[in-house]
Amino acid sequence: LSLKVITTSFPLGTFLSNILSCIILAIAVLYFTGKTLENSTLKLFVVTGFCGGFSTFSTFSLETFELLKQGNYYIAILNILISVLVGISVLFFMLKNQI
């Protein structure tokens, strides 16, 4: 049994981590919406702490910088556009009833 590994310049791992974090963030927002919490520490921990730590903006920035430095302008711009648009789209479609 052989496992083929796809190699690409596109930082797929960081992208997937950020999108998964957006999904978890949307679920947390939906869960906490309308709930009266005496102690909002749990909401703060999940929304800001966990999702903020799980998403990888600094890694995204560094990987995009490295792509630019290596002359991979097309992939760098694609990384920025896809990451931002998909991340916001995930939140929009999951939370559209909250607007």
Side-chain angles (χ1 to χ4, degrees), residues 29-53:
V29 168
L30 288 170
Y31 175 78
F32 288 115
T33 298
K35 294 195 183 308
T36 306
L37 300 175
E38 277 186 33
N39 186 350
S40 62
T41 305
L42 178 61
K43 179 181 178 182
L44 185 64
F45 170 75
V46 172
V47 172
T48 305
F50 181 77
C51 290

Side-chain angles (χ1 to χ4, degrees), residues 14 17-18 51-64 84:
T14 303
S17 174
N18 286 337
C51 290
F54 186 60
S55 67
T56 54
F57 185 77
S58 58
T59 304
F60 162 76
S61 300
L62 177 62
E63 288 173 342
T64 304
V84 172

Side-chain angles (χ1 to χ4, degrees), residues 50-88:
F50 181 77
C51 290
F54 186 60
S55 67
T56 54
F57 185 77
S58 58
T59 304
F60 162 76
S61 300
L62 177 62
E63 288 173 342
T64 304
F65 174 76
E66 289 296 325
L67 288 168
L68 292 169
K69 192 167 88 173
Q70 295 166 1
N72 291 325
Y73 303 111
Y74 176 73
I75 295 174
I77 291 169
L78 195 63
N79 182 37
I80 293 166
L81 291 175
I82 289 174
S83 294
V84 172
L85 291 175
V86 171
I88 292 171

